[in-house]
Amino acid sequence: MARTGGADDFWARWRKNVHRARNGLRRSGVDYFRGDGSDWIALAGLLLTIPAITFATVLSPVWIDPAALALPIVAGGLLLRPASLLGLYATAAGALILEALKLGPYLDGPARVTPGTVLVVAACGFFGLVLAQFRARVGVPWRRGGTMLFDLRERIRVQSSLPRLPQGWHREMALRPAGGQSFSGDFVVAARTHGGRTLEAVLTDVSGKGMDAGSRALLLSGAFGGLLGSLPPHAFLPAANGYLLRQDWDEGFATSIHLVLDLESGDYEIYSAGHPPALQLHAGSGRWEEKSGEGPLLGVYDGAEFDAVKGSLAPGDVLMLFTDGLVEASDRDIAEGIDRLTGEADRYVTAGFEGAAWHLIEACAKDVNDDRALLLLSRRA
């Protein structure tokens, strides 16, 4: 019995060690591909390419130019840390010297190491080192820059998601950054407050567009999301205005529209900070009505006041909030853009506006070089 117990203990320890090693390898792999791990694998691979290129150059300099050593140097500038990069450069310099000795003086004929070859390789190394030092200075790990941009885009997308609404309501939102980029200066923050009875949604257009406004949009969306529901509706835009003023940005203004909707009665209030008006479709008459509160841009001056406009959504009514990129362009004013938007929206009355937000942006502002956002709410008949 003791021998059986000893064998069982041995296999249990063996399985435990295998499990621990597998988890360690998995964590190392995750850290490596996220950019947190060591760059020794990339360094080893690049170091192996240098003797291969050197051997090929000495064997056939007509087909493999000595300047081919610039290839691993360029790759190293994109993949390695500065300390590892210096080791790669030293190896490449030694290989270049070896090629010069094997091929002979450049005055003796073509396909040799010339001063121009040395300058090309050195220039590639210089720019690669500058790039690696910049990444190290801003604290971005060697491959983490792309991951950080991906995380930034995903955080903006998650923060712009709309909460679920009770039966009888439909909501959707579409966002199109300028120039087909992944980042936008337009964002939405929304939450259900007062025990879920009230929907509060804020659509904001930060000055600038695309990548230039993406970082500010992320900062503001986080701040606005924290303020939403924590303050009475009439106090939200004054607090947002004060927050924006404290940032002291060169381009520090934004437009915003704040919707407070009672999901039981359909009554709502709209507060506006220099934003284009909301549009309400009255199902009974089939007409669109502009709804806009009074208020200045956010971030212009302290003590700004924002007055609300009230309304109510009856069964079958639709409410649209949008940014100026959807209705304003260099060749038309905002009134013409609103007329075009309402005309296109009339096509979706019978279909119930399912999937209408994305199609309305495509129809009204497909090729506009500006961020475009549209928030659509409808109360089912």
Side-chain angles (χ1 to χ4, degrees):
M1 294 295 292
R3 292 168 56 185
T4 304
D8 292 341
D9 291 341
F10 170 77
W11 287 112
R13 288 196 300 270
W14 184 81
R15 286 194 297 268
K16 185 177 180 180
N17 291 333
V18 170
H19 180 71
R20 186 181 302 166
R22 184 175 60 187
N23 287 341
L25 182 61
R26 183 185 302 167
R27 285 195 296 270
S28 299
V30 171
D31 289 341
Y32 177 78
F33 285 106
R34 283 181 61 88
D36 298 331
S38 173
D39 60 350
W40 66 269
I41 295 180
L43 176 60
L46 292 173
L47 287 176
L48 290 176
T49 63
I50 290 178
I53 292 175
T54 303
F55 176 78
T57 300
V58 173
L59 188 65
S60 181
V62 175
W63 289 98
I64 308 298
D65 191 88
L69 286 172
L71 297 177
I73 287 178
V74 170
L78 298 174
L79 297 176
L80 301 180
R81 295 185 174 96
S84 302
L85 201 58
L86 293 178
L88 180 70
Y89 288 177
T91 306
L96 198 61
I97 294 173
L98 179 62
E99 289 178 357
L101 294 176
K102 289 291 185 180
L103 297 176
Y106 64 91
L107 295 176
D108 292 348
R112 301 175 189 273
V113 178
T114 66
T117 302
V118 176
L119 288 177
V120 169
V121 175
C124 292
F126 172 76
F127 287 113
L129 185 60
V130 169
L131 181 62
Q133 287 180 337
F134 174 78
R135 291 200 309 269
R137 185 177 304 169
V138 299
V140 178
W142 60 293
R143 284 186 312 276
R144 193 62 186 274
T147 305
M148 290 181 64
L149 292 176
F150 175 79
D151 289 343
L152 174 62
R153 186 190 68 184
E154 288 303 299
R155 288 178 186 275
I156 294 176
R157 183 186 64 81
V158 170
Q159 289 180 357
S160 295
S161 61
L162 301 175
R164 289 181 175 273
L165 299 186
Q167 188 174 3
W169 290 93
H170 170 70
R171 89 284 186 267
E172 59 183 78
M173 194 268 294
L175 179 65
R176 293 286 296 273
Q181 301 180 26
S182 298
F183 300 93
S184 173
D186 297 349
F187 66 88
V188 173
V189 291
R192 291 180 64 177
T193 59
H194 300 95
R197 172 173 177 168
T198 302
L199 171 68
E200 292 193 52
V202 178
L203 176 59
T204 302
D205 183 359
V206 180
S207 58
K209 57 189 176 184
M211 289 284 292
D212 296 334
S215 58
R216 283 177 288 142
L218 176 64
L219 180 63
L220 290 183
S221 65
F224 287 10
L227 293 174
L228 196 66
S230 302
L231 298 171
H234 67 273
F236 174 83
L237 286 181
N241 181 59
Y243 177 83
L244 198 55
L245 286 170
R246 290 192 297 273
Q247 305 312 305
D248 196 25
W249 289 329
D250 292 336
E251 276 190 286
F253 65 90
T255 69
S256 191
I257 187 167
H258 179 199
L259 169 68
V260 184
L261 172 64
D262 189 320
L263 295 171
E264 293 185 3
S265 65
D267 296 335
Y268 65 82
E269 292 182 340
I270 290 178
Y271 299 84
S272 179
H275 202 83
L279 294 175
Q280 179 180 352
L281 172 65
H282 296 277
S285 63
R287 294 183 178 180
W288 291 90
E289 179 186 3
E290 294 186 8
K291 292 282 189 176
S292 180
E294 296 293 333
L297 299 171
L298 296 179
V300 176
Y301 62 87
D302 198 8
E305 296 182 356
F306 305 90
D307 298 325
V309 62
K310 297 183 179 182
S312 182
L313 289 177
D317 286 3
V318 178
L319 187 67
M320 292 194 299
L321 311 180
F322 49 89
T323 56
D324 59 0
L326 186 60
V327 295
E328 193 174 17
S330 58
D331 57 344
R332 69 168 186 258
D333 60 21
I334 190 170
E336 294 177 355
I338 290 176
D339 288 341
R340 182 176 180 182
L341 175 61
T342 55
E344 292 291 337
D346 285 337
R347 301 172 182 266
Y348 296 91
V349 172
T350 57
F353 286 88
E354 294 283 349
W358 186 85
H359 291 288
L360 287 174
I361 292 180
E362 283 287 301
C364 298
K366 181 179 180 180
D367 299 320
V368 174
N369 188 28
D370 195 3
D371 299 327
R372 294 139 291 168
L374 175 64
L375 172 61
L376 187 148
L377 292 164
S378 64
R379 190 175 187 183
R380 302 186 188 278

